[in-house]
Amino acid sequence: MQKALSEPNRQEIDNILFGLRQKDISPKNVTVHDSIVISNGNKLYVLSHSVEGNRHYGAVILPMTMSHHKLPIIVFATGGDGMHSEFDISMDFNHRAVQFPNFLGGGLDKEFIVAIPSFRGQQLIIGNKKYLSEGNVGDSFDGATTDALGFLNVVLKTFDRSDEKRIAIFGGSRGGTVALLASIRDKRIKRAIAVAAPTDMKALQALYPDQFKLLFFNDLLAGKISESEARRRFIASSPIHFIRELPLVQLHHDIGDPFVPIQFAKDLACGMIENDQIVQSYFYHEGIHGFWSDSRYWYRVQDFVKKMVK
């Protein structure tokens, strides 16, 4: 396991990124399972597709307007640490910072298609209906990013109003990491918002060695994968290794975050600045793990994405 944890060199990082971008995550076996009109008049669809041999579910919120012009997409990546096997859309989106079903607030819910992938091994819950995605729930960074990008491709294929030239991704905690990783792998994603996101898995593993032994090395210890594959997954899960591939990024983090220290955001921001990349960094003082009561937080998110609206 020590070999898997050693620092990668530039060539290894580039090879891993090349392999990630070669993955076949084209839409396969797409099925629309359900649709409901939500309280703001928009329509929520539940779809499934196949990704890496697994049946995977997600939801899409489509604005119901008279216009038929193309709309930008924002992917909403959920939090969790691989130990959370359920994602209740109503519960997560009812958070005051997310304002479901108006998600972005300020009328922007009529300007964006919202794509909400579940992740492998996770059960998507909408009201009294449950949809279980297949796969290993512990593959919660590298695998979850593949799921998010696979579902993005499904949305682009299924909904004609999707504009592949205007894509953003938003995520908190694990979802923030996925947002960064997805925008690194897929150059169609032009803006990424990461809230309280782990950016360096080696540093996170040092903080939570027992938990992350299960997340990253359980398959290795069980003899299901090789040490080289375990290492590939570990490196592929750390945005800090791929800084130069990031698009426009907005970071939000609490100085007293009790779970993911502020240094994760600072290190990523410093790396981007050193590379002359554009990053907006906002730090808060409420001592919590994301989603602050500070009203400026959500206005900053809105301002960052509304530039994608024509």
Side-chain angles (χ1 to χ4, degrees):
M1 204 166 77
Q2 289 306 311
K3 180 180 178 182
L5 291 170
S6 63
E7 285 297 318
N9 58 40
R10 186 74 255 165
Q11 186 62 55
E12 185 177 18
I13 292 169
D14 290 345
N15 288 343
I16 287 171
L17 181 59
F18 179 80
L20 290 169
R21 288 177 171 168
Q22 298 306 304
K23 279 190 175 187
D24 179 10
I25 50 173
S26 58
K28 297 180 181 69
N29 305 315
V30 178
T31 302
V32 179
H33 293 271
D34 203 356
S35 65
I36 59 172
V37 176
I38 55 181
S39 61
N40 65 349
N42 289 347
K43 201 164 189 178
L44 184 149
Y45 296 85
V46 178
L47 299 92
S48 70
H49 65 113
S50 298
V51 58
E52 295 190 328
N54 294 319
R55 175 59 53 179
H56 172 259
Y57 291 89
V60 179
I61 300 176
L62 188 69
M64 292 289 101
T65 61
M66 296 298 292
S67 173
H68 296 288
H69 65 277
K70 284 189 175 291
L71 294 171
I73 302 167
I74 185 159
V75 180
F76 183 94
T78 67
D81 57 5
M83 305 300 178
H84 293 75
S85 59
E86 292 186 345
F87 166 48
D88 188 324
I89 272 192
S90 300
M91 292 291 290
D92 280 51
F93 277 70
N94 273 332
H95 195 291
R96 63 185 177 185
V98 183
Q99 307 170 48
F100 180 79
N102 302 307
F103 181 38
L104 293 171
L108 290 176
D109 59 304
K110 298 296 183 183
E111 301 289 348
F112 281 85
I113 294 172
V114 182
I116 313 159
S118 65
F119 297 128
R120 53 193 64 190
Q122 190 178 55
Q123 188 165 242
L124 177 67
I125 302 173
I126 303 173
N128 61 354
K129 297 184 178 180
K130 299 180 178 181
Y131 306 89
L132 178 61
S133 291
E134 297 172 343
N136 177 12
V137 70
D139 194 0
S140 57
F141 293 97
D142 177 36
T145 303
T146 298
D147 294 340
L149 291 175
F151 192 64
L152 172 61
N153 287 334
V154 167
V155 174
L156 288 167
K157 177 183 178 180
T158 307
F159 298 96
D160 293 339
R161 295 182 67 188
S162 304
D163 189 346
E164 69 173 359
K165 295 180 180 179
R166 293 184 290 159
I167 302 173
I169 185 166
F170 168 95
S173 193
R174 179 272 298 271
T177 307
V178 169
L180 295 169
L181 293 173
S183 66
I184 286 164
R185 293 192 199 178
D186 193 328
K187 288 302 185 182
R188 296 174 302 180
I189 299 175
K190 304 303 183 184
R191 291 172 183 259
I193 304 110
V195 179
T199 57
D200 183 343
M201 291 303 125
K202 186 174 181 179
L204 197 65
Q205 191 271 341
L207 290 174
Y208 305 104
D210 293 335
Q211 181 178 350
F212 278 80
K213 182 178 180 180
L214 290 174
L215 285 180
F216 289 105
F217 303 116
N218 199 44
D219 285 349
L220 171 63
L221 297 173
K224 295 180 180 179
I225 61 173
S226 66
E227 188 172 25
S228 60
E229 172 58 16
R231 176 173 173 78
R232 185 206 65 77
R233 289 184 187 179
F234 194 64
I235 294 168
S237 299
S238 292
I240 200 76
H241 295 315
F242 307 94
I243 284 177
R244 65 185 186 184
E245 302 294 333
L246 285 164
L248 299 177
V249 170
Q250 188 178 78
L251 299 173
H252 300 267
H253 217 108
D254 197 292
I255 287 174
D257 190 314
F259 301 113
V260 180
I262 185 68
Q263 200 61 42
F264 285 89
K266 288 184 174 181
D267 288 347
L268 191 82
C270 288
M272 291 189 69
I273 291 168
E274 288 173 5
N275 283 338
D276 295 323
Q277 294 165 276
I278 299 174
V279 57
Q280 298 177 7
S281 304
Y282 299 104
F283 303 124
Y284 304 86
H285 299 268
E286 297 181 26
I288 60 175
H289 185 52
F291 295 125
W292 300 270
S293 59
D294 188 333
S295 61
R296 294 173 298 174
Y297 156 59
W298 206 248
Y299 292 137
R300 288 161 176 164
V301 173
Q302 292 170 342
D303 187 61
F304 189 66
V305 299
K306 71 171 53 172
K307 294 177 175 62
M308 303 181 73
V309 177
K310 290 183 178 178

